[in-house]
Amino acid sequence: MTSTETRKAHVPEDLPTHLQHFIDGEPRDSVSGATFEVLDPVSNRPYATAAAGGAEDVDAAVAAARRAFTEGPWPTMAPRARARVLNRIADLVEAQDARLAELETFDTGLPITQALGQARRAAENFRFFADVIVAQADEAYRVPGTQINYVNRKPAGVAGLITPWNTPFMLESWKLAPALAAGCTVVLKPAEFTPLSASLWAGIFTEAGLPRGVFNLVNGIGEEAGAALVEHPGTRLISFTGETTTGQTIFRAAAPHLKGLSMELGGKSPVVVFDDADLDAALDSAVFGVFSLNGERCTAGSRVLVQRSVYDTFVERFAERARRIVVGDPHDPRTEVGALVHPDHYERVLRYVEIGKGEARLVAGGGRPEHLPEGNYLQPTVFADVPPTARIFQEEIFGPVVALTPFTDEAEAIALANDVRYGLAGYVWTRDLTRGHRVAQAIEAGMVWLNSHNVRDLRTPFGGVKASGLGREGGHRSIDFYTEEQAVHVTLGDVHTPRFGGS
């Protein structure tokens, strides 16, 4: 069922009305004086302005980060010393997790209970990479009696971090923690839809003792501030999370400078349910996987493929569950689906719903909840009998919309799972573990969960294949990205070199 209680929209206390950049240890407005409005998704009214960064602001931020890298202590500090700062950051994040969640919910429309979990994950990211950097070991290779060769790992330099508007604070921490742990200095460009929680990093880092200039933040539009950051010759690395078309643009812009790239892009992940699966568990996972975080999640299982012998029953149960999901005020702890992030994105999702009505059978949702006449609200929407040629099967929607499609056998399930341009995640449900492993390995995706929903071990690689990304992050792979390995070769004993020209 949906909530029918009418509530006044929640507005956090002490809400800032203007968000500035943070460059070389101090807040700044744009050199040009340009700003843009920031909306909350419940009222769709502006609540603040943000400094709109341009090339000159990015240049100042990169210059500050470069000075901090070449002249400051951070890159040469012992791993244990950097880890102490990272753990203080984690402590400060945990100490204000309720405030972080409140701001994130107000800015993004994410349900408050889910926003709180994201704030705690952000703290855990810093703790995790504090441990990783202290435990980091590099190789040494010995040629007995002749030579020893060892690897010297060095921070790469200034890293440009471009983050998305879904769960922004947590995803910012996902990049900031390993970059800082590795000894890099950074320039963060948060998403223009959701800059509020990013504005808290400056105070957190300053209080934790991060040296001046190590962290810099430039707000702005992607085509301006983001593009300037990618194209700037002073950034050695770009880590980007966002949609695939933007990733392709970044790839082209970074090419002249041969920058290191790590990009997690779009997804259209399959959930494959065989008839021998624990259908109750599969149903719980499939419903949660596409409707949690308002469906605005990269790893959402937005295509549910079900074996024909149990398909009709599964569709009926899935639709029933979707109809009962509580849609409402994001600040209400009872809410399971809140408001989509921005009216532009909301209209985009609604266009896909209308497209779907002409491509498949609508069995749940498909419109605005009656009790929510304002704001970016959409009923959890379920389409059944979706053919693989349908746009709602092929294209990323990034909202609370799911496509259900039947399959006959394992071969067809794999073919359907792989019949899209994306390859970020996949989910397989079966009691036959031999088949489960076989299908999981056949799915073209960077990550597959077998009889599980999206529960991630931070030590494992995260990333996609095909149009879903480039590179991997997570655990030591993140440290690999933010560092450069230098091989040092040392001769033991006499040197025997052919004497060219020595006659």
Side-chain angles (χ1 to χ4, degrees), residues 6 11 64 72 76 136 223 249 251 268 270 315 346 395 419 444 470 477 482:
T6 301
V11 178
T76 57
Q136 179 73 44
E223 291 82 357
T249 301
F251 201 121
K268 193 70 177 176
V315 168
Y346 180 60
E395 299 175 20
D419 189 23
E444 296 169 350
L470 176 72
R477 297 161 192 84
Y482 292 106

Side-chain angles (χ1 to χ4, degrees), residues 165-166 240-246 264-269 295-303 345 348-349 351-353 355 390-401 420-425 467-468:
W165 47 256
N166 58 313
F240 170 73
T241 299
E243 55 95 24
T244 298
T245 302
T246 304
E264 185 233 307
L265 306 177
K268 193 70 177 176
S269 301
E296 298 167 327
R297 59 185 306 163
C298 55
T299 55
S302 54
R303 294 181 299 135
H345 180 64
R348 177 182 181 275
V349 174
R351 286 195 295 271
Y352 272 108
V353 171
I355 289 168
R391 288 184 63 185
I392 61 169
F393 186 97
Q394 292 289 332
E395 299 175 20
E396 184 177 41
I397 300 173
F398 220 67
V401 181
V420 294
R421 64 192 293 244
Y422 299 104
L424 186 58
S468 287

Side-chain angles (χ1 to χ4, degrees), residues 5 37 69 146 150 200 205 266 301 306 348 376 437 442 453:
E5 182 180 355
E37 291 184 330
F69 187 79
T146 303
Y150 67 90
L200 300 176
F205 288 150
V306 185
R348 177 182 181 275
N376 306 322
H437 287 289
H453 69 283

